Amino acid sequence: MAKRSALQRGVGVALWRQIADGIRQGIATGLADETGRLPPEAELAQRFGVNRHTIRAAISALAHEGVLRSQQGRGTFVRRQKRLVYPIGERTRFSAGLSDQAHETRSEMLSSSIETAADPIAFALGLEPGDRTIRIETLGNADGVPVSRSTSWFSEARFPGIADVYSRVGSMTEALEACGVTDYRRASTGVEARHADESDTQELQLAPGAIVIVTRAMNSDLSGVPIQYSVTRFPADRVELVIRGDGATFEGPQLGS
Amino acid sequence: MAKRSALQRGVGVALWRQIADGIRQGIATGLADETGRLPPEAELAQRFGVNRHTIRAAISALAHEGVLRSQQGRGTFVRRQKRLVYPIGERTRFSAGLSDQAHETRSEMLSSSIETAADPIAFALGLEPGDRTIRIETLGNADGVPVSRSTSWFSEARFPGIADVYSRVGSMTEALEACGVTDYRRASTGVEARHADESDTQELQLAPGAIVIVTRAMNSDLSGVPIQYSVTRFPADRVELVIRGDGATFEGPQLGS
DNA sequence: CAAAATTTGTGCGTATGTATC
DNA sequence: TGATACATACGCACAAATTTT
């Protein structure tokens, strides 16, 4: 077993939170045994070099977050084990990529509105500043757990009723089909990562200090005309992106975790 | 300007660090003016709703980190403004993608070693467990700032002298060429994000609590035979990935930052 | 079935870090 | 600069639930 990375004091991040992140990370790399049971608090305390109270604070945070569950006398157990793999490629779609990894995947529309296109979005969609766009907010679930939170823009002139259709069918692919787009492609995807802000922690049910992966995506129709610009936030501890993989993913080593 | 996200007390992350992260994020979205000057501390204190001491602690941390520089009587200034865009596609290469964004990009070999292939890497490279691999550690720089930290594995049988060649030429593409690989393609890329650990903070010169984007990549030759497996860590506040973009990237809105 | 060992839950005192005023 | 309040972390002790002997 590799030596656990050293904790740092006095850097503005409490030890219990660093440990919570360490445990969360460790779960993916064999910290818990095959039954999902974590080592006892005393052992974790020794391994991390802290007091048992500090371990308990970390576990308490993860339990509150739904990652762990403790039982007096029995131990502490992992609730969810694996990360979802979200494939990104020319034919990226929400449900198609996840349906084989979870029992139930659902994309739900939260709200929609009409906006005057500001500069960057107008440029991305090939509109004039001042043209009207439809903005749609969606939440992606896998087995009841939020795994993505998207904001999408469409040209209102081209897709006037897309919000209504989408709210009924719950699938972007089907909604676009109903608007005359038989097929579309992912033209480009930007990827960033940052700390979750307040809206992330609420909408994705995250712990404060959690990490979100942010993608900015352009979808175009087959003739290359942009049809959709969207910004999506993924919880970094529940989702992993895979680019141009055929769905298979190697379980490579983590390196420094 | 969107309302700044509320700070939270008692969540294991000190206010000054939350603010430091907020400022770091805000720099990318117009917190500083065109000269790179930040609003005065008093104004920041009011905007974040904290005492000026707390703002000073945040600025001090960012200054120590090299992001800001304060001058008595003049103000506080941003040192680096934009994030590097690291393109990922079929023909992903290090220097080619960055050379137009920085004056000097360099990839430097830190060390190399010979390892017996463990399960996941052997599988990824199409080797038998027990076959020998060459492991190469590299650091990517752009204008003197670390922007990537990679660990790569190759089959020793196929590329016996690749470490020596690479350490001389400083380019993976050229090193592979010298070993008979005229061209190669990125077969798949896995993307995750996590907090920086101790080795990240040292090797990439990051602040504790910073975020790293981790990619796990497979490169194959033109006949589809895997030749390289690598794990790369990028500082999330210095680098942004773009997938299958032609290099152009839209400056879309950040949404919740 | 009973006793011992294991493991989580709780209480208290103290020292230090964080944030305000 | 101090004074104050709260959060964080430690150390020790013991209670309660569960498993093992």
Side-chain angles (χ1 to χ4, degrees), chain A residues 189 191 197 216 240-241 243 256, chain B residues 189 191 197 240-241 243 250 256:
Chain A
T189 309
V191 180
D197 62 24
R216 294 184 287 136
E240 164 188 355
L241 309 182
I243 298 142
Chain B
T189 309
V191 179
D197 61 24
E240 164 188 355
L241 308 182
I243 297 141
F250 336 93

Side-chain angles (χ1 to χ4, degrees), chain A residues 5-6 8 10-17 21 24-25 83 88-90 120-121 123-124 135 137 150-151 153 186-195 197-201 208-214 216-218 229 231 233 236-237 239-246 248-257, chain B residues 5-6 8 10-17 21 25 83 88-90 120-121 123-124 135 137 150-151 153 186-201 208-214 216-218 229 231 233 236-237 239-246 248-257:
Chain A
S5 65
Q8 312 186 42
V11 294
V13 182
L15 287 185
W16 64 263
R17 177 145 293 289
D21 292 333
R24 207 206 319 262
Q25 189 68 27
R83 258 197 281 234
I88 291 184
E90 282 206 327
I121 292 167
F123 174 73
R135 171 179 170 149
E137 308 284 346
S150 276
T151 306
W153 287 267
R186 178 68 65 102
S188 98
T189 309
V191 180
E192 305 164 44
R194 58 167 172 79
H195 283 112
D197 62 24
E198 208 189 11
S199 65
D200 297 325
T201 57
I211 297 176
V212 290
I213 298 174
V214 183
R216 294 184 287 136
M218 274 299 316
Y229 175 74
V231 177
R233 291 162 278 164
D237 59 331
V239 177
E240 164 188 355
L241 309 182
V242 171
I243 298 142
R244 292 187 61 70
D246 43 25
T249 169
F250 336 91
E251 275 299 320
Q254 282 295 328
L255 277 195
S257 70
Chain B
S5 63
Q8 311 184 42
V11 295
V13 184
L15 285 186
W16 64 263
R17 176 144 293 286
D21 291 335
Q25 188 68 29
R83 256 196 281 235
I88 290 184
E90 282 207 327
I121 292 167
F123 174 73
R135 171 180 172 148
E137 309 283 345
S150 275
T151 305
W153 287 266
R186 178 69 65 102
S188 100
T189 309
V191 179
E192 307 165 41
R194 58 166 172 80
H195 283 111
D197 61 24
E198 207 186 15
S199 63
D200 297 324
T201 57
I211 297 175
V212 291
I213 299 175
V214 183
R216 295 185 285 136
M218 272 301 315
Y229 176 72
V231 176
R233 292 162 277 164
D237 59 335
V239 176
E240 164 188 355
L241 308 182
V242 171
I243 297 141
R244 292 187 60 71
D246 44 25
T249 169
F250 336 93
E251 275 300 318
Q254 281 297 327
L255 278 194
S257 70

Side-chain angles (χ1 to χ4, degrees), chain B residues 15-242:
Chain B
L15 285 186
W16 64 263
R17 176 144 293 286
Q18 296 182 51
I19 290 167
D21 291 335
I23 291 176
R24 208 205 318 262
Q25 188 68 29
I27 289 169
T29 59
L31 179 63
D33 66 16
E34 53 286 341
T35 71
R37 181 185 166 146
L38 246 64
E41 294 174 355
E43 186 184 324
L44 288 172
Q46 191 174 24
R47 202 188 296 194
F48 283 98
V50 298
N51 193 280
R52 193 167 75 93
H53 288 305
T54 312
I55 293 289
R56 287 181 58 75
I59 288 177
S60 161
L62 291 172
H64 194 264
E65 194 183 323
V67 177
L68 300 179
R69 195 181 72 252
S70 294
Q71 280 179 274
Q72 194 172 106
R74 294 222 317 137
T76 302
F77 298 84
V78 178
R79 287 200 142 165
R80 285 188 298 281
Q81 291 252 21
K82 290 194 305 179
R83 256 196 281 235
L84 277 181
V85 174
Y86 187 91
I88 290 184
E90 282 207 327
R91 299 191 45 90
T92 296
R93 276 114 179 90
F94 175 72
S95 50
L98 302 182
S99 54
D100 54 340
Q101 300 176 60
H103 296 107
E104 187 212 358
T105 59
R106 210 176 57 229
S107 181
E108 164 196 3
M109 186 171 109
L110 301 178
S111 68
S112 71
S113 57
I114 296 194
E115 284 187 352
T116 303
D119 232 13
I121 292 167
F123 174 73
L125 289 176
L127 303 177
E128 295 299 316
D131 285 356
R132 282 145 66 94
T133 60
I134 298 179
R135 171 180 172 148
I136 298 182
E137 309 283 345
T138 63
L139 183 67
N141 278 276
D143 295 333
V145 180
V147 292
S148 67
R149 172 72 182 76
S150 275
T151 305
S152 297
W153 287 266
F154 303 85
S155 158
E156 196 207 12
R158 177 150 182 205
F159 304 104
I162 194 165
D164 297 329
V165 182
Y166 180 73
S167 69
R168 278 202 311 276
V169 299
S171 155
M172 196 56 82
T173 307
E174 286 183 44
L176 285 168
E177 217 163 76
C179 294
V181 178
T182 56
D183 199 4
Y184 61 93
R185 297 198 174 280
R186 178 69 65 102
S188 100
T189 309
V191 179
E192 307 165 41
R194 58 166 172 80
H195 283 111
D197 61 24
E198 207 186 15
S199 63
D200 297 324
T201 57
Q202 283 182 9
E203 295 161 349
L204 292 168
Q205 296 172 25
L206 295 175
I211 297 175
V212 291
I213 299 175
V214 183
T215 64
R216 295 185 285 136
M218 272 301 315
N219 280 322
S220 304
D221 65 18
L222 294 188
S223 55
V225 177
I227 58 176
Q228 177 188 18
Y229 176 72
S230 63
V231 176
T232 307
R233 292 162 277 164
F234 300 93
D237 59 335
R238 295 179 201 155
V239 176
E240 164 188 355
L241 308 182
V242 171

